[in-house]
Amino acid sequence: MMKQTEPHILVIFGASGDLTKRKLIPALYELHTQQLLPEKLAVLGVSRTELSDAGFREKMKEFLSIQPHNEKDIEAFLEHLYYQPLSTADSSEYPILKSRLETLGKELSIPENYIYYLSTPPNLYQIIPQSLAEVGLNDAKNGFKRLIIEKPFGTDLKSAQELNKNLRNYFDEDQLYRIDHYLGKETVQNMLVTRFSNGIFEPIWNHNFIHHIEITSAETLGVEDRGGYYDHSGAMRDMVQNHLMQLVGMVAMEPPVVIEADAIRNEILKVFQSLRPISEAEVASHVIRGQYTQSHIGKELVKGYREESGVDRQSRTETFVAMKFFIDNFRWAGVPFYIRTGKKLPARVTEVVIHFKNTPHHLFGNQADTGPVNNQLVLRIQPDEGILLKIGMKVPGAGFRVQTVNMDFHYDQLSDVYLPTAYGRLLLDCMQGDATLYARGDAVEKAWEYVQPILNAWKNNHEIPIYGYPAGTWGPDVVDELVESGTWRYPCKNLAHDGEYCEL
Ligand code: BG6
């Protein structure tokens, strides 16, 4: 049964910022075209820039792809948008916001249901919730009050704990929605369905049958215009601590009792609690960091990371991380997990690869060209979303030659099914009060606790190398040494292309 979306006002702080234009407004428009928005909805943009409602609508329109056939639709959508200039960092101005919300609510007959989206720099994560609370805008007596925040949720364990403490001074945990847009990806959610709805996978999803698990999140882009932010962050904070850890949670968790926010989030937390800590002394051997250097990709000369704008010329910030770790529990005892992520790699691909153990006896060993079959299940998160299973098959003809073949499913085969974008899906969930796909505070802290010794070791011990890798390659060569038996999979854009033919 479809859940109901109650009438509400969505307040976007930082409405003149990049995220609002690039992600939020297009996601809301997408929900509008799918008729998923409540009829009674106001989206109130808030930021310092002086703008009228009409001016805000005009500005936001530029970011919607306008084709002649949808002009009317866009106009109808824009009518939901309103704007309030406000110095968000100045708590004395919040009464203005409060009275604007009251007026809007009266005009549009919307009850006091408010969602606050903090699409602002993180230094405002303290003052905005506090200022809202000071004028009673956190009070859920006459309608829900929910707060959505974007990462970074702190920059280390200590600041993450402080942030959570501060948020919880003004809002209860069940009013807090911490966005991790990876959880909004349809293919990430499908990992739960693959695992828990198929009788053939779950029984073998453990150390008895799985040899190792590999997670790759590769990007072709560099830091683009985000050098200033990224140079203080690096791949560990930017990707591993949040998105990749959440993927680990989804692959490794125990079946939840029900598909509900707390049931699922409890299981993810348990995975994080079972991670075998990597001590500062082990960092050099378990975690490899790299930074892209100038190189030629085709005919183009591509900048190295240190030449990017906003980046320190001597920067030791990692744009690549590969690591090996273990989950110490019954299911995963002894199974190595490998994670790899980086910028300026040859392909934009995110996928999870389950490598199964070989058969106990290689009956066809002496005739095979390639050794025993390495069964793999590839869960492709993006692009060419789908699933691929590699199995051995007899090559027709005399004898018993075995070849590995692919069985693959691609989401685009479901041509008439609408695949929501991550932001669209997550916004709708929050509107319906469903926090399942949002990160919970305790899990965020646990993930920080896990990566903190790695960050400490890198900061304190300059002996730990940061390897250069030419832009456009799969990272430093030493990464191969992490995987003791076997190699990384080198994925292509197309899920089923590998080996001889690879389009990047
Ligand atoms: C963001 C990171 O959270 O995720 C970016 O800050 C990264 O650096 C992005 O590029 C990757 O997201 P996606 O959806 O393109 O894989």
Side-chain angles (χ1 to χ4, degrees):
M1 204 184 67
M2 281 289 272
K3 283 193 211 141
Q4 283 299 314
T5 312
E6 289 176 49
H8 65 274
I9 303 181
L10 168 65
V11 184
I12 302 181
F13 288 93
S16 49
D18 203 44
L19 182 76
T20 308
K21 318 187 275 224
R22 272 192 315 109
K23 298 280 187 190
L24 304 184
I25 296 293
L28 287 166
Y29 177 62
E30 173 194 320
L31 294 176
H32 168 82
T33 58
Q34 296 296 319
Q35 293 167 344
L36 292 168
L37 291 181
E39 214 172 292
K40 288 184 182 166
L41 165 79
V43 177
L44 180 65
V46 170
S47 75
R48 245 195 338 225
T49 320
E50 282 294 334
L51 266 182
S52 61
D53 292 344
F56 184 56
R57 290 176 188 183
E58 212 34 55
K59 256 182 132 146
M60 292 303 119
K61 191 174 171 180
E62 288 170 34
F63 298 95
L64 302 173
S65 75
I66 302 174
Q67 281 136 26
H69 71 271
N70 62 6
E71 180 81 35
K72 247 177 68 204
D73 220 22
I74 290 192
E75 291 307 325
F77 167 71
L78 292 174
E79 276 173 30
H80 289 295
L81 305 191
Y82 299 84
Y83 185 81
Q84 177 62 52
L86 195 86
S87 289
T88 35
D90 180 355
S91 52
S92 70
E93 292 205 0
Y94 280 66
I96 305 175
L97 175 65
K98 187 174 188 182
S99 67
R100 180 74 200 267
L101 285 169
E102 283 164 3
T103 330
L104 261 183
K106 276 202 197 101
E107 264 171 42
L108 306 169
S109 315
I110 299 178
E112 291 175 29
N113 291 331
Y114 304 147
I115 298 178
Y116 310 109
Y117 198 120
L118 306 198
S119 170
T120 64
N123 59 355
L124 296 176
Y125 289 0
Q126 156 89 29
I127 186 79
I128 295 177
Q130 182 189 332
S131 309
L132 288 169
E134 278 170 12
V135 293
L137 284 174
N138 60 342
D139 184 346
K141 218 169 38 239
N142 297 320
F144 63 70
K145 306 287 176 296
R146 300 175 186 145
L147 186 83
I148 306 184
I149 61 169
E150 278 281 336
K151 79 175 221 302
F153 311 129
T155 52
D156 57 14
L157 176 60
K158 189 159 164 280
S159 56
Q161 287 166 334
E162 275 162 16
L163 172 66
N164 277 338
K165 192 159 157 271
N166 176 56
L167 293 170
R168 289 194 205 112
N169 276 338
Y170 309 110
F171 287 84
D172 294 333
E173 181 63 36
D174 64 5
Q175 295 178 291
L176 295 173
Y177 290 73
R178 295 176 191 78
I179 282 234
D180 187 306
H181 78 280
Y182 266 57
L183 289 177
K185 293 183 194 274
E186 199 55 44
T187 40
V188 172
Q189 296 153 35
N190 188 48
M191 294 191 340
L192 297 187
V193 176
T194 305
R195 290 190 52 195
F196 301 131
S197 76
N198 289 303
I200 56 168
F201 292 128
E202 191 46 28
I204 56 172
W205 208 266
N206 56 52
H207 66 100
N208 290 316
F209 300 95
I210 292 179
H211 185 268
H212 67 277
I213 291 183
E214 180 187 345
I215 301 179
T216 293
S217 181
E219 293 183 86
T220 47
L221 290 179
V223 289
E224 312 305 300
D225 51 4
R226 297 162 73 226
Y229 148 76
Y230 195 89
D231 209 29
H232 297 285
S233 168
M236 185 60 84
R237 291 183 170 91
D238 188 54
M239 291 295 291
V240 178
Q241 186 275 338
N242 37 69
H243 307 322
L244 295 184
M245 294 288 280
Q246 292 291 341
L247 290 185
V248 171
M250 299 292 247
V251 186
M253 73 186 195
E254 295 303 313
V257 180
V258 281
I259 295 293
E260 272 173 16
D262 269 326
I264 292 187
R265 300 192 305 173
N266 286 343
E267 297 307 332
I268 291 181
L269 176 66
K270 280 196 233 161
V271 172
F272 295 173
Q273 286 167 334
S274 320
L275 290 165
R276 184 187 302 170
I278 296 180
S279 69
E280 281 193 49
E282 289 167 328
V283 169
S285 55
H286 287 57
V287 191
I288 288 167
R289 56 177 172 166
Q291 190 185 74
Y292 61 84
T293 54
Q294 190 189 60
S295 82
H296 282 275
I297 302 181
K299 288 200 177 105
E300 196 193 342
L301 178 67
V302 180
K303 272 190 203 161
Y305 175 69
R306 291 181 184 178
E307 282 101 55
E308 300 277 15
S309 81
V311 170
D312 185 340
R313 297 289 163 256
Q314 324 254 275
S315 173
R316 289 176 64 80
T317 298
E318 77 288 355
T319 60
F320 177 96
V321 172
M323 59 192 278
K324 172 181 176 179
F325 59 91
F326 290 91
I327 298 176
D328 283 340
N329 64 15
F330 261 66
R331 185 183 288 267
W332 298 116
V335 178
F337 281 71
Y338 300 95
I339 277 184
R340 176 177 57 163
T341 183
K343 298 220 179 265
K344 286 270 187 229
L345 301 188
R348 174 177 181 259
V349 171
T350 302
E351 65 178 26
V352 176
V353 188
I354 314 293
H355 294 260
F356 291 96
K357 288 186 176 169
N358 294 337
T359 49
H361 174 62
H362 304 148
L363 207 49
F364 309 110
N366 56 348
Q367 278 142 334
D369 292 337
T370 50
V373 173
N374 180 351
N375 288 126
Q376 295 173 17
L377 178 70
V378 184
L379 307 171
R380 176 59 77 88
I381 313 291
Q382 66 194 19
D384 192 9
E385 291 78 1
I387 288 188
L388 173 82
L389 183 64
K390 288 188 172 289
I391 52 174
M393 199 207 65
K394 180 179 175 302
V395 177
F400 278 95
R401 286 202 323 128
V402 180
Q403 187 189 336
T404 302
V405 295
N406 292 335
M407 283 174 65
D408 47 335
F409 160 75
H410 306 252
Y411 270 82
D412 59 13
Q413 290 163 355
L414 306 172
S415 54
D416 52 351
V417 176
Y418 143 77
L419 266 190
T421 60
Y423 272 94
R425 167 68 203 258
L426 291 172
L427 275 170
L428 184 65
D429 280 0
C430 175
M431 290 175 177
Q432 299 179 336
D434 183 353
T436 309
L437 300 174
Y438 285 84
R440 203 170 59 189
D442 49 3
V444 170
E445 285 183 27
K446 207 71 208 165
W448 273 117
E449 198 179 304
Y450 182 65
V451 301
Q452 192 63 53
I454 305 172
L455 297 170
N456 292 348
W458 285 347
K459 187 160 160 241
N460 301 332
N461 182 355
H462 280 242
E463 302 281 290
I464 302 178
I466 173 154
Y467 297 96
Y469 61 97
T473 64
W474 279 105
D477 294 344
V478 284
V479 165
D480 284 337
E481 288 160 27
L482 266 187
V483 188
E484 285 133 19
S485 51
T487 57
W488 297 89
R489 184 175 124 92
Y490 291 98
C492 310
K493 186 158 98 186
N494 183 310
L495 171 61
H497 289 175
D498 44 18
E500 285 144 40
Y501 175 69
C502 183
E503 192 189 345
L504 294 174

